[in-house]
Amino acid sequence: MGKYRIFETRTFQEDLGRLKRSGLSRLNEKLQEHIYPQLRDEPHFGPNIKRLKNWETPTWRYRIGAYRFFYEIHEK
């Protein structure tokens, strides 16, 4: 297994900031403590990971309850 770097877009950070202000900081805690470490080790496979079909750039989706976030993997 390789190691991967995770980068959040500015839009994602702004959206997460709005959620924190509304009392949903548990989502941020889950991202930092569980999801990002999992994705750094293996971003292709997992119980909440799905590769999206028919996307020009290969894109994956991670599901966290009612929330979804999308990411690309740059292997180089």
Side-chain angles (χ1 to χ4, degrees):
M1 264 187 238
K3 289 279 188 180
Y4 300 88
R5 294 182 68 188
I6 309 265
F7 295 94
E8 297 173 344
T9 64
R10 181 177 298 160
T11 303
F12 182 79
Q13 291 172 347
E14 290 169 358
D15 290 346
L16 194 56
R18 281 192 283 281
L19 290 174
K20 282 193 240 180
R21 286 192 298 277
S22 69
L24 294 174
S25 63
R26 287 183 20 215
L27 178 62
N28 188 43
E29 290 173 20
K30 188 165 188 164
L31 283 168
Q32 298 300 324
E33 294 175 13
H34 302 289
I35 295 167
Y36 288 166
Q38 174 193 350
L39 292 178
R40 282 185 197 109
D41 286 337
E42 182 48 73
H44 299 96
F45 305 105
N48 298 310
I49 295 172
K50 178 180 179 181
R51 183 166 180 190
L52 302 178
K53 297 178 182 179
N54 301 322
W55 285 62
E56 188 173 318
T57 302
T59 304
W60 283 259
R61 179 216 70 199
Y62 195 101
R63 180 177 53 84
I64 309 169
Y67 300 99
R68 309 291 186 270
F69 72 89
F70 303 91
Y71 62 95
E72 298 171 359
I73 302 167
H74 300 273
E75 302 278 350
K76 295 180 182 178

